[in-house]
């Protein structure tokens, strides 16, 4: 556990008691803070205190959990009373870890790149701990010490309300429109990603996958602010493909390698460490093969850009998609459908996705994931060709599932049940 300094006897409001909020609560209390916690979704809890009863006149800070709207009444009141607003990542930063801290952000690929960084660093004999938006909450991490590394996956929500973080290096993978309902506009979302540059120590490297107009704009901003930027171009990524059969991880691999070289972890021998990385659950996860049908769980693809990677990777795809559509819907996939034989659409976006895709590929509209898989079972009864059943929704999960993990686990459970594997 990370214990923050200079919080002893401070009066701290805590808004949100999810995973990071609970961890921040424990960490702040261990640091001697007086904590007043509240969560809209928790009715009864001994630690809950209605914000109307908080000692506002003496509050030093408010710690806000990621994803809570910045228009929340408690945040608005804090702003009006000039109470500092921070988040759980700031609590972590105030613990002053001895380990080097690396931040990873971007619209897609954050989790894979963060896990790959940790994997390679550990293979090279250093101790790396993974946390933030993946794995443990940042404040739950045990500091591995001055020869170790802490890898933090940082979401736009976390970056938006972060102020005190200090990084020894960072990666910005890509920026495409996402979470615009929360941020309010693409400019605000873009600016939240730019904040990772604010947290770099002097001379610390920032590796940027400079592959679209937004990342080009980001590179220019960072250079104008005298940040050490290492750019990766589309050509470099294409050239890197020749080294690997797996085409999905290329951007992730190349940014990780560049950063690890900058911070002195690796020099030349990086191909085998990368090949030994098995990937993450729910991200292009090979689940089962029965006969000539392969099942792939890509539930973590919560926007169309993430799904494009899967559509480009496999052949003869029976694609299950749908959920809560992000800005732009499924339109970005239209130039990447040559490997798709048929699409099965579910969730809130099923009609919207149908209207976009049906002129390009055959589509069925189904009620839910189970009905989609049962239809695929019928469609493949007499199959004689190699087929990939790809569950890559290209949309958020919250219409029919708790989260993308629950969605992916449900897919695997249903496949096992329907095909009796």
């Amino acid at each position: 556990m990370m214990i923050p300094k200079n919080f002893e006897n401070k009066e701290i409001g805590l808004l949100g008691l999810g995973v990071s909020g609970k961890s921040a609560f424990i960490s702040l209390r261990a640091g001697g803070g007086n904590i007043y916690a509240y969560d809209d979704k928790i009715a009864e809890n001994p630690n809950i205190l209605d914000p109307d009863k908080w000692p506002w006149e003496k509050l030093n800070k408010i710690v806000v959990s990621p994803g809570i709207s910045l228009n929340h009444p408690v945040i608005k009141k804090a702003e009006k009373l000039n109470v500092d607003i921070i988040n759980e990542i700031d609590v972590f930063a105030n613990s002053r870890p001895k380990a080097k801290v690396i931040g990873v952000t971007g619209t897609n690929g954050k989790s894979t790149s963060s896990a790959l960084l940790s994997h390679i660093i550990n293979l090279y004999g250093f101790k790396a701990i993974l946390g933030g938006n993946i794995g443990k909450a940042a404040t739950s991490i045990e500091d591995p010490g001055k020869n170790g590394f802490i890898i933090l996956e940082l979401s736009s929500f976390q970056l938006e309300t972060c102020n005190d973080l200090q990084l020894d290096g960072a990666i910005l993978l890509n920026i495409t429109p996402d979470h615009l309902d929360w941020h309010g506009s693409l400019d605000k979302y873009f600016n939240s990603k730019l904040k990772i540059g604010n947290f770099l120590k002097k001379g610390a490297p920032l590796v940027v996958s400079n592959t679209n107009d937004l990342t080009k704009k980001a590179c220019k901003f960072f250079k104008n602010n005298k940040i050490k930027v290492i750019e990766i171009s589309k050509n470099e990524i294409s050239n890197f493909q020749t080294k690997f059969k797996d085409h999905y991880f290329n951007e992730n691999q190349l940014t990780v390698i560049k950063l690890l070289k900058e911070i002195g972890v690796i020099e030349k021998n990086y191909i085998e460490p990368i090949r030994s990385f098995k990937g993450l659950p729910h991200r292009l996860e090979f689940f089962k093969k029965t006969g000539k049908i392969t099942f792939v769980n890509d539930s973590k693809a919560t926007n169309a850009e993430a799904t494009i990677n899967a559509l480009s990777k496999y052949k003869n795809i029976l694609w299950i998609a749908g959920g809560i559509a992000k800005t732009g819907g499924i339109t970005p996939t239209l130039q990447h459908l040559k490997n798709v034989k048929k699409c099965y659409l579910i969730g809130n976006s099923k009609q919207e996705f149908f209207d976009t895709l049906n002129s390009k590929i055959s589509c069925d509209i189904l009620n839910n994931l189970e009905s989609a898989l049962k239809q695929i079972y019928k469609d493949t009864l007499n199959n004689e060709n190699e087929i990939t059943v790809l569950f890559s929704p290209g949309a958020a999960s919250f219409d029919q599932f708790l989260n993308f993990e629950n969605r992916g686990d449900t897919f695997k459970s249903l496949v096992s049940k329907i095909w009796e594997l």
Side-chain angles (χ1 to χ4, degrees), residues 190-223:
F190 175 74
N191 288 334
S192 74
K193 293 296 187 185
L194 291 184
K195 283 189 71 177
I196 198 165
N198 297 347
F199 304 132
L200 287 161
K201 296 176 181 177
K202 187 176 181 180
L206 172 61
V207 179
V208 181
S209 180
N210 190 356
T211 55
N212 67 16
D213 289 342
L214 287 175
T215 49
K216 284 181 173 64
K217 184 178 176 182
C219 282
K220 184 177 180 180
F221 171 85
F222 294 136
K223 289 176 181 177

Side-chain angles (χ1 to χ4, degrees), residues 1-2 4 14 16-30 63 65 88 91-92 136-141:
M1 177 178 61
M2 308 298 290
L14 179 64
L17 285 168
V19 173
S20 67
K22 288 176 182 176
S23 182
F25 182 95
I26 295 168
S27 181
L28 287 163
R29 179 164 281 183
V63 180
S65 291
E88 187 253 350
V91 179
F92 159 86
K136 297 180 177 182
T139 46
S140 295
I141 289 171

Side-chain angles (χ1 to χ4, degrees), residues 320-324 344-350 353 391-396 399 407:
I320 306 172
I324 299 176
Y344 303 80
L345 299 169
I346 62 174
N348 283 5
S349 64
K350 58 189 176 185
F353 284 14
F391 183 42
S392 188
D399 53 343
R407 181 168 66 179

Side-chain angles (χ1 to χ4, degrees), residues 160-402:
E160 179 71 33
T161 52
C162 189
N163 295 287
D164 300 331
L165 184 60
Q166 290 190 314
L167 297 173
D168 296 279
I171 289 173
L172 172 59
L173 286 161
N174 48 67
I175 307 175
T176 57
D178 202 10
H179 304 304
L180 302 192
D181 54 340
W182 190 88
H183 288 280
S185 70
L186 179 57
D187 281 346
K188 290 181 179 179
Y189 174 69
F190 175 74
N191 288 334
S192 74
K193 293 296 187 185
L194 291 184
K195 283 189 71 177
I196 198 165
N198 297 347
F199 304 132
L200 287 161
K201 296 176 181 177
K202 187 176 181 180
L206 172 61
V207 179
V208 181
S209 180
N210 190 356
T211 55
N212 67 16
D213 289 342
L214 287 175
T215 49
K216 284 181 173 64
K217 184 178 176 182
C219 282
K220 184 177 180 180
F221 171 85
F222 294 136
K223 289 176 181 177
N224 288 341
N225 284 275
K226 297 182 171 30
I227 291 169
K228 182 181 180 181
V229 179
I230 297 91
E231 299 179 55
I232 292 173
S233 67
K234 284 184 178 180
N235 285 340
E236 285 182 276
I237 294 171
S238 296
N239 292 336
F240 195 65
Q241 288 179 358
T242 60
K243 292 184 176 23
F244 297 94
K245 293 180 181 179
D246 187 334
H247 283 203
Y248 173 66
F249 293 120
N250 291 318
E251 178 190 21
N252 302 2
Q253 290 169 332
L254 195 50
T255 53
V256 164
I257 290 165
K258 292 273 189 179
L259 181 67
L260 290 175
K261 286 183 176 180
E262 285 291 327
I263 61 178
V265 172
I266 64 174
E267 293 181 2
K268 294 180 180 179
N269 182 25
Y270 54 78
I271 293 179
E272 288 309 314
I274 287 175
R275 283 185 171 148
S276 69
F277 178 63
K278 301 304 181 186
L280 296 173
H282 312 294
R283 168 55 86 203
L284 292 174
E285 176 188 10
F286 169 83
F287 172 51
K288 290 283 186 182
K289 184 170 184 179
T290 177
K292 292 190 175 183
I293 305 174
T294 298
F295 297 89
V296 176
N297 168 31
D298 194 34
S299 179
K300 201 173 189 302
T302 59
N303 57 48
E305 285 78 9
T307 289
I308 287 170
N309 293 298
L311 297 179
S312 302
K313 179 178 173 64
Y314 303 102
K315 306 293 183 184
N316 296 325
I317 296 171
L318 300 182
W319 174 28
I320 306 172
I324 299 176
K326 299 289 184 71
T327 301
I330 206 69
T331 300
T333 66
L334 288 176
Q335 304 303 314
H336 304 272
L337 300 174
K338 66 179 182 179
N339 296 331
V340 180
K341 293 171 62 68
K342 188 174 179 181
C343 187
Y344 303 80
L345 299 169
I346 62 174
N348 283 5
S349 64
K350 58 189 176 185
Q351 187 62 55
E352 176 189 340
F353 284 14
F354 181 88
D355 293 341
T356 301
L357 296 170
N358 193 49
S359 64
K360 297 282 188 179
I361 54 174
S362 174
C363 298
D364 282 354
I365 292 180
L366 291 309
N367 289 329
N368 52 40
L369 182 54
E370 183 172 11
S371 60
L373 285 167
K374 286 181 175 178
Q375 185 60 50
I376 291 173
Y377 182 84
K378 292 177 184 177
D379 290 348
T380 58
L381 276 175
N382 299 313
N383 171 64
E384 295 181 357
N385 300 313
E386 293 288 341
I387 284 177
T388 298
V389 175
L390 173 64
F391 183 42
S392 188
S397 59
F398 304 117
D399 53 343
Q400 296 180 329
F401 303 94
L402 294 174

Side-chain angles (χ1 to χ4, degrees), residues 388-417:
T388 298
V389 175
L390 173 64
F391 183 42
S392 188
S397 59
F398 304 117
D399 53 343
Q400 296 180 329
F401 303 94
L402 294 174
N403 46 46
F404 75 80
E405 294 97 338
N406 171 244
R407 181 168 66 179
D409 289 339
T410 301
F411 169 75
K412 293 188 285 187
S413 175
L414 287 169
V415 167
S416 296
K417 175 182 173 184

